[in-house]
Amino acid sequence: MAQSNYRERLLALSNRLVEIQKPIQILDSIKWPHAFREHFFDNNAGVLPPADLAFYQRQLPAFDLPATRQALAELNRDIVRQLGKNDALGAILQDTTLQYMNVVDLLHSRGTPAFLTHSQALYGSARDHLRGDNKSLLELGERLCAIFSLPAAKHLNKVHPKIFSAEQAVERLSRRLGQYFDPGALSVIQDDGIVSDASAGGDKIKINNRALFSELDLQVLEVHEGWVHVGTTLNGREQPWATWLSVGSPRITSTQEGLAVLIETLTFSSFPNRAKRISDRVIAIDLAEQGADFIEVYRHFVERDISPHDSYTIAQRVFRGGMVEGGACLTKDLSYVRGFIELVNFIRSTTLEGVPEMLPMLFVGKVTLEDVPVLYEHSLDGLIASPKYLPPMFQDLNGLYVWFGFSSGIAQIDIENVQEHYRRLFLRLSPSPEMPAEDCEYE
């Protein structure tokens, strides 16, 4: 009886959070119209986009900020009162509730210096250190940018013609994902209100009306937006008691984006130019955190042979919600690099510690790495349902175990000595012809 009462309390509190957070849409509340891009280039990239405080004050969020924050505060108190201070699942639910309170504060501060403070509280700073390591995200981002800028990476960037319109992309992606998900489980739609070429939200994947796509683009979208972002949402909705696992507060962003990039890598869907774009975002955020304005960040990337189109997109992603004249930015895009590295370290650790069986819990819903052991423990007593939609390499863990087992062993090798050994052989090679790279941008 006590267990039954606990589950009912957990469900009721969880459902309250799901309902309260429904209208909270961070990216929709800070997005810029396409006209800002046209205005910027019409003025020879020399005038700041008109995303000032007045602009954000006109773009009212689709919910009452004070009332929503009050409802979240009341829910937070009820979680402690009804589940206790030491309940592990209650702690996750409480942390998620507090995150949404911080989101309300973030949106209230759009266009002001306080926006950066709230963003760093939610997503971190480029100069933060990785879990258990002395390297900062900035140092790692710079290292990755260097690797993905090597001549060899440029040689591998083959031309993938963008031959599919948004309408064709919707049709092809719908057909592919229909083989992974149950009929009617998700929809792929065209949308003209998103910044990137494509993004996922809830059980929908949105395709930018103005974008063109290559076959490789669609492959990335299938696994990144479909398998991971939509898949974890739908798995969260299958939860009988912990229904909050279907919604994503900023606390889960790093794990979500890291998981999406990892699946791109494990399915050989990614490519050097895309990986470099993800690393570039860390550099862009650090520039903005240190006071650079929109034009300075834009010019930084143009001067490094990134197209004006892509340089604008990088800067736009960083400054949306903040101050284009400098002083505040959105640090969300740190999540890709941070999430990928910390997720790889987590999987390697489960391998070395002999507990790889908890890895499917990464897909049970919207989770952080710290949540996984707790959720795994409660999956054994039936409180947490196993994920319905699971990528093949996580269904049979043998290959994953071997992959990361080798990875852990190889990490002990001194790569600098090995590299010096082979460098003498490689000096004899003639340089490979460089091929033009393709542009792409996803959320």
Side-chain angles (χ1 to χ4, degrees):
M1 179 64 70
Q3 177 73 345
S4 175
N5 288 339
Y6 170 80
R7 292 183 176 191
E8 293 297 339
R9 291 196 302 272
L10 181 68
L11 176 61
L13 293 165
S14 182
N15 284 344
R16 279 175 62 186
L17 177 59
V18 172
E19 190 63 30
I20 293 170
Q21 65 78 46
K22 274 185 180 179
I24 302 176
Q25 302 291 332
I26 299 176
L27 298 185
D28 280 351
S29 300
I30 60 175
K31 65 184 179 183
W32 296 359
H34 187 71
F36 281 12
R37 182 187 292 265
E38 296 173 346
H39 174 269
F40 184 73
F41 288 114
D42 286 346
N43 286 277
N44 299 314
V47 176
L48 292 171
D52 54 13
L53 178 59
F55 165 75
Y56 291 113
Q57 289 176 337
R58 291 192 300 270
Q59 311 301 312
L60 295 176
F63 63 98
D64 186 316
L65 291 172
T68 300
R69 199 182 195 288
Q70 178 62 30
L72 289 165
E74 292 173 358
L75 174 59
N76 184 57
R77 288 193 294 270
D78 288 345
I79 293 170
V80 177
R81 186 180 302 120
Q82 296 184 31
L83 300 181
K85 294 181 179 180
N86 300 318
D87 183 76
L89 290 175
I92 297 174
L93 182 55
Q94 186 179 15
D95 193 26
T96 304
T97 301
L98 292 171
Q99 282 272 301
Y100 278 118
M101 292 173 66
N102 288 337
V103 169
V104 173
D105 294 338
L106 175 82
L107 297 181
H108 181 72
S109 67
R110 294 171 303 161
T112 73
F115 185 86
L116 176 60
T117 302
H118 294 304
S119 180
Q120 290 173 333
L122 290 167
Y123 302 108
S125 165
R127 303 204 174 189
D128 287 346
H129 289 257
L130 294 161
R131 288 185 182 93
D133 194 89
N134 59 5
K135 294 184 183 63
S136 69
L137 285 168
L138 176 61
E139 291 171 317
L140 181 60
E142 290 172 337
R143 174 60 177 154
L144 291 173
C145 281
I147 291 172
F148 294 122
S149 298
L150 290 171
K154 295 180 180 179
H155 300 154
L156 291 173
N157 278 324
K158 299 178 181 179
V159 176
H160 297 279
K162 291 182 177 292
I163 58 176
F164 301 115
S165 66
E167 182 178 0
Q168 291 171 317
V170 166
E171 189 277 327
R172 295 175 75 88
L173 201 54
S174 297
R175 187 170 65 249
R176 291 184 181 192
L177 291 172
Q179 300 171 5
Y180 185 86
F181 294 101
D182 289 345
L186 85 162
S187 59
V188 185
I189 61 172
Q190 291 178 242
D191 190 288
D192 61 0
I194 57 175
V195 173
S196 54
D197 288 349
S199 68
D203 55 7
K204 289 184 177 64
I205 296 177
K206 298 178 181 179
I207 302 296
N208 193 319
N209 278 334
R210 293 180 292 272
L212 293 173
F213 299 87
S214 69
E215 181 62 33
L216 189 57
D217 291 336
L218 298 182
Q219 186 176 331
V220 171
L221 291 174
E222 177 184 2
V223 299
H224 184 115
E225 308 291 354
W227 290 14
V228 176
H229 293 328
V230 174
T232 52
T233 295
L234 297 180
N235 286 336
R237 291 179 182 177
E238 293 285 327
Q239 293 302 319
W241 312 105
T243 55
W244 84 83
L245 290 174
S246 64
V247 300
S249 70
R251 71 186 291 275
I252 60 86
T253 303
S254 285
T255 300
Q256 272 286 295
E257 299 301 354
L259 197 56
V261 175
L262 175 65
I263 295 298
E264 287 183 37
T265 305
L266 293 176
T267 57
F268 296 99
S269 301
S270 196
F271 46 94
N273 203 43
R274 170 160 171 74
K276 184 177 182 299
R277 291 291 180 269
I278 291 172
S279 306
D280 284 339
R281 296 171 186 174
V282 179
I283 311 301
I285 287 170
D286 184 67
L287 289 170
E289 285 184 304
Q290 301 311 308
D293 66 20
F294 182 95
I295 294 175
E296 289 171 324
V297 172
Y298 166 82
R299 288 175 177 168
H300 174 89
F301 291 102
V302 169
E303 290 167 1
R304 282 152 183 79
D305 296 325
I306 295 177
S307 72
H309 169 86
D310 282 356
S311 296
Y312 178 92
T313 299
I314 293 170
Q316 178 184 13
R317 293 176 67 96
V318 171
F319 281 96
R320 51 187 170 170
M323 301 169 62
V324 291
E325 66 271 29
C329 65
L330 180 69
T331 59
K332 173 183 176 290
D333 279 350
L334 297 172
S335 303
Y336 296 85
V337 170
R338 181 203 295 272
F340 178 77
I341 298 301
E342 292 186 344
L343 181 62
V344 167
N345 288 338
F346 178 82
I347 296 177
R348 287 171 58 187
S349 296
T350 65
T351 302
L352 295 174
E353 295 297 323
V355 287
E357 59 271 13
M358 71 172 60
L359 291 177
M361 291 295 106
L362 289 165
F363 289 87
V364 78
K366 305 297 186 183
V367 305
T368 69
L369 298 180
E370 287 77 8
D371 297 342
V372 171
V374 174
L375 297 174
Y376 174 69
E377 181 180 4
H378 284 288
S379 73
L380 300 178
D381 63 21
L383 201 154
I384 300 296
S386 298
K388 179 177 181 179
Y389 300 112
L390 199 58
M393 68 287 294
F394 282 85
Q395 294 178 21
D396 181 348
L397 295 173
N398 282 289
L400 206 63
Y401 185 93
V402 171
W403 180 290
F404 284 96
F406 273 125
S407 171
S408 299
I410 292 171
Q412 308 303 313
I413 296 174
D414 187 339
I415 186 60
E416 291 186 3
N417 287 340
V418 174
Q419 189 174 349
E420 182 59 34
H421 169 77
Y422 286 110
R423 182 178 289 119
R424 292 188 292 272
L425 295 176
F426 300 157
L427 286 173
R428 306 173 189 172
L429 297 175
S430 300
S432 302
E434 186 173 323
M435 305 185 73
E438 99 170 303
D439 293 330
C440 73
E441 191 61 53
Y442 320 115
E443 185 60 48

